[in-house]
mmCIF file of all heavy atoms in Angstrom:
data_model
loop_
_atom_site.group_PDB
_atom_site.id
_atom_site.type_symbol
_atom_site.label_atom_id
_atom_site.label_comp_id
_atom_site.label_asym_id
_atom_site.label_seq_id
_atom_site.Cartn_x
_atom_site.Cartn_y
_atom_site.Cartn_z
ATOM 1 N N ASP A 1823 56.076 104.345 108.407
ATOM 2 C CA ASP A 1823 55.830 105.070 109.658
ATOM 3 C C ASP A 1823 54.489 105.810 109.650
ATOM 4 O O ASP A 1823 53.883 106.044 108.594
ATOM 5 C CB ASP A 1823 56.972 106.061 109.909
ATOM 6 C CG ASP A 1823 56.828 107.323 109.093
ATOM 7 O OD1 ASP A 1823 56.988 107.247 107.844
ATOM 8 O OD2 ASP A 1823 56.554 108.371 109.672
ATOM 9 N N ASP A 1824 54.060 106.179 110.856
ATOM 10 C CA ASP A 1824 52.749 106.808 111.036
ATOM 11 C C ASP A 1824 52.678 108.219 110.454
ATOM 12 O O ASP A 1824 51.586 108.781 110.323
ATOM 13 C CB ASP A 1824 52.401 106.868 112.531
ATOM 14 C CG ASP A 1824 52.224 105.480 113.124
ATOM 15 O OD1 ASP A 1824 51.927 104.547 112.347
ATOM 16 O OD2 ASP A 1824 52.406 105.324 114.346
ATOM 17 N N ASN A 1825 53.840 108.816 110.134
ATOM 18 C CA ASN A 1825 53.853 110.184 109.618
ATOM 19 C C ASN A 1825 53.655 110.238 108.108
ATOM 20 O O ASN A 1825 53.664 111.329 107.519
ATOM 21 C CB ASN A 1825 55.172 110.880 109.956
ATOM 22 C CG ASN A 1825 55.341 111.059 111.449
ATOM 23 O OD1 ASN A 1825 54.389 111.301 112.163
ATOM 24 N ND2 ASN A 1825 56.569 110.926 111.913
ATOM 25 N N TYR A 1826 53.485 109.088 107.483
ATOM 26 C CA TYR A 1826 53.401 109.099 106.026
ATOM 27 C C TYR A 1826 52.255 109.985 105.527
ATOM 28 O O TYR A 1826 52.382 110.686 104.514
ATOM 29 C CB TYR A 1826 53.227 107.690 105.470
ATOM 30 C CG TYR A 1826 52.933 107.694 103.992
ATOM 31 C CD1 TYR A 1826 53.949 107.967 103.075
ATOM 32 C CD2 TYR A 1826 51.628 107.501 103.519
ATOM 33 C CE1 TYR A 1826 53.673 108.017 101.720
ATOM 34 C CE2 TYR A 1826 51.354 107.544 102.169
ATOM 35 C CZ TYR A 1826 52.375 107.803 101.267
ATOM 36 O OH TYR A 1826 52.105 107.867 99.940
ATOM 37 N N SER A 1827 51.127 109.984 106.229
ATOM 38 C CA SER A 1827 49.976 110.777 105.772
ATOM 39 C C SER A 1827 50.323 112.264 105.729
ATOM 40 O O SER A 1827 49.884 112.994 104.830
ATOM 41 C CB SER A 1827 48.768 110.536 106.673
ATOM 42 O OG SER A 1827 49.063 110.879 108.018
ATOM 43 N N GLU A 1828 51.128 112.720 106.711
ATOM 44 C CA GLU A 1828 51.557 114.125 106.706
ATOM 45 C C GLU A 1828 52.440 114.413 105.496
ATOM 46 O O GLU A 1828 52.316 115.448 104.838
ATOM 47 C CB GLU A 1828 52.297 114.452 107.996
ATOM 48 C CG GLU A 1828 51.428 114.340 109.241
ATOM 49 C CD GLU A 1828 52.215 114.646 110.501
ATOM 50 O OE1 GLU A 1828 53.410 115.009 110.387
ATOM 51 O OE2 GLU A 1828 51.644 114.522 111.605
ATOM 52 N N TYR A 1829 53.360 113.488 105.210
ATOM 53 C CA TYR A 1829 54.221 113.650 104.038
ATOM 54 C C TYR A 1829 53.368 113.650 102.769
ATOM 55 O O TYR A 1829 53.556 114.478 101.870
ATOM 56 C CB TYR A 1829 55.249 112.523 103.996
ATOM 57 C CG TYR A 1829 55.902 112.310 102.649
ATOM 58 C CD1 TYR A 1829 56.943 113.135 102.219
ATOM 59 C CD2 TYR A 1829 55.454 111.300 101.793
ATOM 60 C CE1 TYR A 1829 57.532 112.952 100.977
ATOM 61 C CE2 TYR A 1829 56.034 111.102 100.544
ATOM 62 C CZ TYR A 1829 57.082 111.929 100.149
ATOM 63 O OH TYR A 1829 57.653 111.743 98.920
ATOM 64 N N ALA A 1830 52.441 112.695 102.670
ATOM 65 C CA ALA A 1830 51.634 112.572 101.458
ATOM 66 C C ALA A 1830 50.743 113.781 101.225
ATOM 67 O O ALA A 1830 50.401 114.107 100.075
ATOM 68 C CB ALA A 1830 50.774 111.312 101.531
ATOM 69 N N ASP A 1831 50.375 114.478 102.291
ATOM 70 C CA ASP A 1831 49.480 115.627 102.177
ATOM 71 C C ASP A 1831 50.223 116.933 101.913
ATOM 72 O O ASP A 1831 49.577 117.974 101.731
ATOM 73 C CB ASP A 1831 48.654 115.783 103.455
ATOM 74 C CG ASP A 1831 47.621 114.671 103.607
ATOM 75 O OD1 ASP A 1831 47.306 114.025 102.579
ATOM 76 O OD2 ASP A 1831 47.169 114.446 104.744
ATOM 77 N N ASN A 1832 51.587 116.896 101.939
ATOM 78 C CA ASN A 1832 52.283 118.173 101.758
ATOM 79 C C ASN A 1832 52.113 118.665 100.319
ATOM 80 O O ASN A 1832 51.685 117.935 99.429
ATOM 81 C CB ASN A 1832 53.765 118.063 102.161
ATOM 82 C CG ASN A 1832 54.593 117.204 101.210
ATOM 83 O OD1 ASN A 1832 54.263 117.038 100.054
ATOM 84 N ND2 ASN A 1832 55.686 116.662 101.722
ATOM 85 N N GLN A 1833 52.437 119.909 100.102
ATOM 86 C CA GLN A 1833 52.210 120.547 98.807
ATOM 87 C C GLN A 1833 53.487 120.663 97.978
ATOM 88 O O GLN A 1833 53.555 121.447 97.037
ATOM 89 C CB GLN A 1833 51.637 121.956 99.050
ATOM 90 C CG GLN A 1833 50.340 121.959 99.841
ATOM 91 C CD GLN A 1833 49.259 121.140 99.153
ATOM 92 O OE1 GLN A 1833 48.972 121.366 97.970
ATOM 93 N NE2 GLN A 1833 48.660 120.199 99.869
ATOM 94 N N ASN A 1834 54.489 119.879 98.302
ATOM 95 C CA ASN A 1834 55.779 120.030 97.625
ATOM 96 C C ASN A 1834 55.904 119.192 96.360
ATOM 97 O O ASN A 1834 56.886 119.306 95.633
ATOM 98 C CB ASN A 1834 56.917 119.657 98.583
ATOM 99 C CG ASN A 1834 56.992 120.601 99.767
ATOM 100 O OD1 ASN A 1834 56.728 121.798 99.617
ATOM 101 N ND2 ASN A 1834 57.341 120.081 100.920
ATOM 102 N N GLY A 1835 54.936 118.315 96.125
ATOM 103 C CA GLY A 1835 54.963 117.550 94.891
ATOM 104 C C GLY A 1835 55.835 116.315 94.917
ATOM 105 O O GLY A 1835 56.084 115.709 93.868
ATOM 106 N N TYR A 1836 56.315 115.917 96.089
ATOM 107 C CA TYR A 1836 57.146 114.718 96.180
ATOM 108 C C TYR A 1836 56.257 113.497 96.411
ATOM 109 O O TYR A 1836 55.137 113.596 96.896
ATOM 110 C CB TYR A 1836 58.156 114.861 97.326
ATOM 111 C CG TYR A 1836 59.070 116.043 97.148
ATOM 112 C CD1 TYR A 1836 58.942 117.176 97.963
ATOM 113 C CD2 TYR A 1836 60.065 116.039 96.172
ATOM 114 C CE1 TYR A 1836 59.778 118.268 97.796
ATOM 115 C CE2 TYR A 1836 60.899 117.133 96.011
ATOM 116 C CZ TYR A 1836 60.750 118.248 96.821
ATOM 117 O OH TYR A 1836 61.569 119.331 96.649
ATOM 118 N N ALA A 1837 56.793 112.311 96.073
ATOM 119 C CA ALA A 1837 55.961 111.113 96.190
ATOM 120 C C ALA A 1837 56.813 109.863 96.400
ATOM 121 O O ALA A 1837 57.988 109.819 96.035
ATOM 122 C CB ALA A 1837 55.128 110.941 94.925
ATOM 123 N N ILE A 1838 56.179 108.854 97.003
ATOM 124 C CA ILE A 1838 56.754 107.516 97.141
ATOM 125 C C ILE A 1838 55.988 106.607 96.200
ATOM 126 O O ILE A 1838 54.765 106.454 96.339
ATOM 127 C CB ILE A 1838 56.658 107.027 98.596
ATOM 128 C CG1 ILE A 1838 57.479 107.940 99.519
ATOM 129 C CG2 ILE A 1838 57.151 105.588 98.705
ATOM 130 C CD1 ILE A 1838 57.339 107.614 100.993
ATOM 131 N N THR A 1839 56.689 106.020 95.230
ATOM 132 C CA THR A 1839 56.012 105.260 94.187
ATOM 133 C C THR A 1839 56.769 103.972 93.856
ATOM 134 O O THR A 1839 57.938 103.802 94.222
ATOM 135 C CB THR A 1839 55.899 106.099 92.901
ATOM 136 O OG1 THR A 1839 57.216 106.450 92.448
ATOM 137 C CG2 THR A 1839 55.097 107.373 93.130
ATOM 138 N N SER A 1840 56.074 103.077 93.165
ATOM 139 C CA SER A 1840 56.661 101.849 92.609
ATOM 140 C C SER A 1840 57.332 101.001 93.682
ATOM 141 O O SER A 1840 58.548 100.766 93.663
ATOM 142 C CB SER A 1840 57.654 102.190 91.495
ATOM 143 O OG SER A 1840 57.023 102.885 90.448
ATOM 144 N N LEU A 1841 56.529 100.541 94.624
ATOM 145 C CA LEU A 1841 57.024 99.684 95.696
ATOM 146 C C LEU A 1841 56.524 98.260 95.482
ATOM 147 O O LEU A 1841 55.396 98.045 95.042
ATOM 148 C CB LEU A 1841 56.523 100.181 97.058
ATOM 149 C CG LEU A 1841 56.701 101.659 97.389
ATOM 150 C CD1 LEU A 1841 56.141 101.954 98.783
ATOM 151 C CD2 LEU A 1841 58.154 102.071 97.285
ATOM 152 N N GLU A 1842 57.357 97.276 95.833
ATOM 153 C CA GLU A 1842 56.946 95.878 95.856
ATOM 154 C C GLU A 1842 57.361 95.280 97.183
ATOM 155 O O GLU A 1842 58.311 95.751 97.829
ATOM 156 C CB GLU A 1842 57.565 95.099 94.691
ATOM 157 C CG GLU A 1842 57.036 95.530 93.339
ATOM 158 C CD GLU A 1842 57.600 94.737 92.178
ATOM 159 O OE1 GLU A 1842 58.483 93.868 92.428
ATOM 160 O OE2 GLU A 1842 57.171 94.968 91.035
ATOM 161 N N ALA A 1843 56.669 94.242 97.605
ATOM 162 C CA ALA A 1843 56.911 93.673 98.928
ATOM 163 C C ALA A 1843 56.815 92.159 98.885
ATOM 164 O O ALA A 1843 55.842 91.613 98.342
ATOM 165 C CB ALA A 1843 55.900 94.229 99.929
ATOM 166 N N VAL A 1844 57.847 91.506 99.447
ATOM 167 C CA VAL A 1844 57.788 90.065 99.712
ATOM 168 C C VAL A 1844 57.365 89.935 101.163
ATOM 169 O O VAL A 1844 58.191 90.022 102.085
ATOM 170 C CB VAL A 1844 59.137 89.376 99.459
ATOM 171 C CG1 VAL A 1844 59.023 87.873 99.710
ATOM 172 C CG2 VAL A 1844 59.638 89.658 98.046
ATOM 173 N N LEU A 1845 56.070 89.776 101.407
ATOM 174 C CA LEU A 1845 55.524 89.872 102.759
ATOM 175 C C LEU A 1845 55.924 88.664 103.614
ATOM 176 O O LEU A 1845 55.949 87.525 103.128
ATOM 177 C CB LEU A 1845 54.003 89.973 102.705
ATOM 178 C CG LEU A 1845 53.437 91.200 101.987
ATOM 179 C CD1 LEU A 1845 51.911 91.088 101.898
ATOM 180 C CD2 LEU A 1845 53.845 92.479 102.693
ATOM 181 N N PRO A 1846 56.209 88.919 104.912
ATOM 182 C CA PRO A 1846 56.504 87.800 105.801
ATOM 183 C C PRO A 1846 55.236 87.056 106.208
ATOM 184 O O PRO A 1846 55.272 85.876 106.567
ATOM 185 C CB PRO A 1846 57.157 88.476 107.002
ATOM 186 C CG PRO A 1846 56.534 89.841 107.036
ATOM 187 C CD PRO A 1846 56.329 90.220 105.607
ATOM 188 N N SER A 1847 54.123 87.771 106.170
ATOM 189 C CA SER A 1847 52.816 87.200 106.550
ATOM 190 C C SER A 1847 51.766 88.266 106.262
ATOM 191 O O SER A 1847 52.090 89.405 105.928
ATOM 192 C CB SER A 1847 52.781 86.818 108.042
ATOM 193 O OG SER A 1847 53.000 87.979 108.837
ATOM 194 N N GLY A 1848 50.498 87.922 106.429
ATOM 195 C CA GLY A 1848 49.432 88.905 106.326
ATOM 196 C C GLY A 1848 49.266 89.482 104.931
ATOM 197 O O GLY A 1848 49.614 88.866 103.924
ATOM 198 N N THR A 1849 48.762 90.720 104.904
ATOM 199 C CA THR A 1849 48.467 91.392 103.649
ATOM 200 C C THR A 1849 49.166 92.744 103.603
ATOM 201 O O THR A 1849 49.731 93.208 104.606
ATOM 202 C CB THR A 1849 46.954 91.608 103.494
ATOM 203 O OG1 THR A 1849 46.508 92.506 104.520
ATOM 204 C CG2 THR A 1849 46.196 90.285 103.595
ATOM 205 N N LEU A 1850 49.090 93.394 102.464
ATOM 206 C CA LEU A 1850 49.746 94.694 102.307
ATOM 207 C C LEU A 1850 49.271 95.699 103.348
ATOM 208 O O LEU A 1850 50.044 96.537 103.827
ATOM 209 C CB LEU A 1850 49.482 95.243 100.902
ATOM 210 C CG LEU A 1850 50.226 94.555 99.747
ATOM 211 C CD1 LEU A 1850 49.740 95.107 98.406
ATOM 212 C CD2 LEU A 1850 51.733 94.751 99.880
ATOM 213 N N SER A 1851 48.004 95.641 103.714
ATOM 214 C CA SER A 1851 47.453 96.612 104.655
ATOM 215 C C SER A 1851 48.063 96.493 106.048
ATOM 216 O O SER A 1851 47.927 97.409 106.863
ATOM 217 C CB SER A 1851 45.931 96.468 104.740
ATOM 218 O OG SER A 1851 45.571 95.170 105.181
#
Side-chain angles (χ1 to χ4, degrees):
D1823 79 291
D1824 295 336
N1825 295 324
Y1826 171 74
S1827 59
E1828 296 179 4
Y1829 162 80
D1831 290 341
N1832 69 25
Q1833 302 302 307
N1834 296 325
Y1836 300 109
I1838 297 175
T1839 60
S1840 300
L1841 310 180
E1842 293 182 356
V1844 181
L1845 298 175
S1847 61
T1849 65
L1850 287 174
S1851 60

